[in-house]
Amino acid sequence: MPLGRLFRRWAAGLALAAAAALPASAATLDTVKQRGSLVCGVSQGLAGFSDRSGGAWTGFDVDFCKAVAAAVLGDPAKVTYVPLSATERFEALAAGRIDLLSRNSTWTLEREAGLKLLFAGITFHDGQGFMVLRRPAVVSALELDGVPVCVQEGTTSALNVADFFRANSMRLTLHTLPTSAEALAALEAGRCDVLTTDQSALFAERLKLSKPAEAVILPDVVSKEPLGPVVRADDVAWFNIVKWVAHGLVNAEELGISTATADEAMRSAKPNVRRFVGAEGDLGVKLGLDNAFAIRAVRAVGNYAEIYERNVGAGSLLAIPRGMNQLWSMGGILYAPPLR
């Protein structure tokens, strides 16, 4: 056999072997379009984030599902919500039962590298805190030595609380419960006097108590809890779509593009705004979408500030100060790469 033909056969075989070794693309975008709806994993009920107490799903994480559906399908209503517990959320995503996980989940190395998942950015900067009941004299987490603490299993909170008590040479009496509802019920029933989880969740859980005013959220923050949407690691194209929808909501706030100014933005001569609304740049096409994907998301749910204030901010029942979740230009750490 001529040497050239032998080399070509060898190269072709090598290419096939390399392709076989790579994980197959999940082609999630095609699946979502063919189905005509986005399957989005959310919590089993957390006020301000993903809650169905009023009949329809509402909340910060729910609005992100709607934003992705608007960007991809043109309709924020085309979402099927799947409530998931902390222990089952990542398995449901890995198994393909949901297209996207938007469920107050902390970004960690173990979850990305160990579970073969990808976090598409940070949509809420949080930290773990403590809510105290029946102990009015306690004003600091350093006073919780030996006090019974409740936590939900399958969360970073269970690991963080153990680290905090050990680092401060404190005795930990821990009660681990399967769900957040059971952890809160145990607190109210007196099995523990402290509930620990993300501070944002503590604001939500306090509203469920029979006497919310008697519960105090301590000022201590003992961890970093960067929360954000999660996708499978086998589909980078879908990862990029979800990531840039998230970035788009933040950029919209920076650019002053909101539900109230969307029509005005369409007529803008500013280069950054024109790229955002799809008037130039073909940015959406590069993602496999049309160029109006970002402005559609904003028309559906608003920019980041609108989503925050409506669900968890000063105008909501939770009234959580924006703090770190303020724009970088306004004293916070919220920062998104530019759409260009």
Side-chain angles (χ1 to χ4, degrees):
M1 180 181 293
L3 185 60
R5 185 182 301 175
L6 182 64
F7 176 78
R8 286 194 295 273
R9 284 191 176 183
W10 172 81
L14 186 64
L16 286 173
L22 293 173
S25 170
T28 310
L29 176 60
D30 292 337
T31 300
V32 170
K33 285 184 173 180
Q34 290 168 9
R35 186 195 303 125
S37 68
L38 172 73
V39 181
C40 202
V42 294
S43 77
Q44 293 171 306
L46 183 63
F49 287 88
S50 44
D51 183 43
R52 203 180 184 181
S53 57
W57 282 100
T58 61
F60 185 98
D61 292 335
V62 169
D63 276 352
F64 186 74
C65 298
K66 292 179 180 179
V68 174
V72 173
L73 300 171
D75 187 346
K78 291 184 176 180
V79 183
T80 300
Y81 297 100
V82 179
L84 297 166
S85 71
T87 53
E88 65 186 349
R89 55 185 162 170
F90 298 120
E91 190 278 330
L93 178 62
R97 295 201 297 274
I98 57 175
D99 307 312
L100 165 66
L101 179 66
S102 183
R103 185 206 178 282
N104 57 300
S105 299
T106 301
W107 186 355
T108 70
L109 185 152
E110 171 60 33
R111 287 173 174 177
E112 276 204 327
L115 301 180
K116 303 297 187 293
L117 302 174
L118 289 173
F119 280 76
I122 303 170
T123 53
F124 196 97
H125 297 271
D126 210 342
Q128 185 171 333
F130 299 88
M131 182 166 67
V132 180
L133 196 62
R134 290 179 293 273
R135 289 181 181 265
V138 172
V139 296
S140 167
L142 294 173
E143 300 175 70
L144 298 178
D145 185 21
V147 176
V149 179
C150 280
V151 69
Q152 183 184 2
E153 69 180 5
T155 65
T156 54
S157 299
L159 302 175
N160 292 336
V161 70
D163 285 349
F164 175 75
F165 273 70
R166 185 174 62 180
N168 288 284
S169 302
M170 296 161 56
R171 292 167 297 144
L172 176 60
T173 304
L174 193 64
H175 297 283
T176 304
L177 288 306
T179 67
S180 59
E182 289 172 278
L184 186 67
L187 174 71
E188 195 152 36
R191 289 182 58 191
C192 53
D193 290 349
V194 182
L195 176 66
T196 185
T197 185
D198 298 347
Q199 281 216 321
S200 60
L202 292 177
F203 279 89
E205 294 298 294
R206 182 167 61 176
L207 295 176
K208 300 176 184 177
L209 294 171
S210 58
K211 296 180 180 179
E214 295 184 0
V216 175
I217 298 175
L218 301 178
D220 309 76
V221 176
V222 300
S223 72
K224 294 187 294 185
E225 303 297 328
L227 311 181
V230 197
V231 297
R232 290 181 294 278
D234 64 352
D235 192 343
V236 175
W238 179 247
F239 165 69
N240 281 334
I241 288 171
V242 174
K243 175 174 61 178
W244 282 102
V245 169
H247 291 333
L249 298 173
V250 176
N251 276 297
E253 181 182 359
E254 283 197 58
L255 295 170
I257 303 172
S258 65
T259 50
T261 65
D263 289 340
E264 179 184 345
M266 298 297 295
R267 301 187 295 269
S268 176
K270 296 179 179 179
N272 286 342
V273 177
R274 286 180 59 78
R275 283 191 291 269
F276 187 95
V277 302
E280 61 181 64
D282 281 341
L283 299 180
V285 172
K286 292 177 173 64
L287 289 172
L289 306 176
D290 63 67
N291 291 328
F293 79 98
I295 191 64
R296 263 200 317 275
V298 173
R299 286 187 185 278
V301 297
N303 62 30
Y304 184 91
E306 292 178 276
I307 295 169
Y308 190 100
E309 293 304 322
R310 178 172 61 246
N311 293 299
V312 301
S316 73
L317 289 174
L318 273 63
I320 304 174
R322 276 193 70 170
M324 292 187 295
N325 293 296
Q326 184 61 265
L327 289 176
W328 64 278
S329 56
M330 300 291 289
I333 61 174
L334 196 66
Y335 187 100
L339 272 71
R340 65 169 306 134

